[in-house]
């Protein structure tokens, strides 16, 4: 098995997406990979070029009368 460098890039409103990213990071590390979590607002060009795998996480809300229902995070 080849060890991969994985970047988890996420946005969150209430930290639920961050919790999911942390869970995925733990599983990746359990498999022997290197995994870094990066808030989307902090991403630099190198963060998109250097990893072997990119995983993006974005919340989408389902609430009554919320104008952004089902839409990705604004970042």
């Amino acid at each position: 098995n080849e060890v991969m460098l994985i970047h988890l890039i996420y946005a969150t409103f209430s930290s639920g997406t961050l919790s999911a990213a942390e869970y995925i990071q733990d599983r990746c590390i359990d498999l022997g990979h290197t995994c870094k979590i990066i808030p989307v607002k902090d991403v630099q060009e190198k963060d998109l070029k250097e990893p072997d795998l990119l995983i993006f996480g974005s919340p989408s809300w389902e609430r009554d009368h919320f104008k952004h229902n089902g839409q990705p995070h604004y970042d």
Side-chain angles (χ1 to χ4, degrees), residues 3-29:
V3 175
M4 291 192 294
L5 172 60
I6 302 166
H7 284 178
L8 292 163
I9 299 171
Y10 77 97
T12 191
F13 289 112
S14 62
S15 56
T17 308
L18 174 58
S19 294
E22 290 169 340
Y23 176 83
I24 294 168
Q25 180 185 45
D26 289 344
R27 302 296 71 78
C28 291
I29 290 170

